[in-house]
Amino acid sequence: MDKYTRAVVVQTSLFNGIEAGELECALRELGAYTKTYEAGELLIRMGDCTRSFGIVIDGRVRIDFYDEAGNVSIVAAIGRGGSFAEAIACAGDPSIVQVEAASAARVIWIDISRAFVGPSSSGSVSARIVLANTTRMLARKNMLLNRKMQMIAQKRLRDRIKLFLLAQDDTRDVIRSTSEMTRSDLARYLSVDRSALSRELGRMRDEGLIALRGNTIEVLDGNFLEA
């Protein structure tokens, strides 16, 4: 594993508590391997079953959900150091979402099933730590999904935008939307029409609440978020 990949992996919550000297051993136990993807390439298709989840080393991946009519809603955009598909890998059920490379990306795949069965589960300290960390990661992801449901339950578009911004940073002072999302991606994430989103953001800018710089939204009036 190269130094760059190691630096990203060691900072992920999955390996919290594992000594630096044990990291390589833990990755071998979990059958870790790295794969690169072109923009637009699918990492997981709807209906796929997988025992592995991914950690993004470079680039971005996007998790999409399609309804029965084929309409797409973005569940999450994952950048460097972020993980995805933990629940799919742990449950062993067919995926109900699609994971796509939003840009050229490099991903390290972790076979979590090896922490449940086989040699790595019989007394390995690293395996026990990984299982505990995976449980915490799943709990956090569940909270994020609950927050997403709260967001799209709002009738007013401005309230959806406000909850999105609040979710980005807890400092309440300068809050930015990640540049992971284009305006079209953000519209799909909020389950709204792109033109309606652009109009509302424009009104918020004109009212002095936010500043728009490319894909970045900067909050100028923190009181707006507390209202």
Side-chain angles (χ1 to χ4, degrees), residues 2-216:
D2 61 82
K3 290 182 178 179
Y4 179 82
T5 301
R6 183 186 179 86
V8 174
V9 169
V10 78
Q11 292 177 20
T12 64
S13 57
L14 179 66
F15 296 103
N16 283 346
I18 294 180
E19 298 293 333
E22 297 295 320
L23 180 60
E24 296 282 357
C25 179
L27 289 170
R28 284 196 300 271
E29 287 183 347
L30 296 169
Y33 67 94
T34 304
K35 187 172 180 180
T36 58
Y37 299 88
E38 298 297 326
E41 190 173 352
L42 294 181
L43 287 69
I44 297 177
R45 292 175 172 81
M46 293 180 67
D48 281 356
C49 291
T50 179
R51 299 181 306 175
S52 301
F53 66 83
I55 298 172
V56 179
I57 304 301
D58 281 308
R60 296 179 292 113
V61 304
R62 193 180 66 235
I63 304 174
D64 295 331
F65 174 78
Y66 288 84
D67 64 19
E68 295 299 322
N71 300 310
V72 62
S73 175
I74 294 177
V75 178
I78 313 296
R80 178 179 182 268
S83 61
F84 61 92
E86 300 96 320
I88 301 169
C90 289
D93 293 333
S95 176
I96 62 170
V97 297
Q98 176 174 285
V99 182
E100 178 181 328
S103 68
R106 186 159 58 106
V107 171
I108 186 166
W109 290 96
I110 305 294
D111 185 349
I112 193 61
S113 69
R114 295 195 180 195
F116 292 101
V117 297
S120 65
S121 64
S122 57
S124 166
V125 173
S126 294
R128 291 198 299 272
I129 292 173
V130 166
L131 282 175
N133 289 340
T134 300
T135 301
R136 295 187 188 96
M137 289 166 63
L138 287 170
R140 283 196 292 270
K141 291 293 179 73
N142 184 58
M143 293 300 296
L144 289 174
L145 285 175
N146 288 338
R147 187 178 293 169
K148 172 76 181 291
M149 292 174 64
Q150 178 192 18
M151 194 179 302
I152 62 177
Q154 304 303 312
K155 293 183 178 180
R156 290 202 320 157
L157 175 52
R158 182 167 297 199
D159 290 334
R160 295 190 188 192
I161 296 170
K162 182 174 81 170
L163 289 176
F164 170 77
L165 292 170
L166 281 169
Q168 305 308 302
D169 191 320
D170 288 331
T171 62
R172 301 291 197 275
D173 123 3
V174 175
I175 300 178
R176 301 173 185 271
S177 69
T178 67
S179 57
E180 312 280 342
M181 289 192 186
T182 64
R183 286 287 179 269
S184 295
D185 286 344
L186 181 56
R188 286 195 291 268
Y189 181 77
L190 296 175
S191 298
V192 298
D193 181 74
R194 187 188 186 284
S195 58
L197 174 64
S198 295
R199 286 195 299 271
E200 186 61 32
L201 289 174
R203 283 193 286 265
M204 293 167 67
R205 177 198 57 208
D206 294 343
E207 293 171 27
L209 302 175
I210 61 173
L212 301 174
R213 298 182 179 86
N215 292 333
T216 299

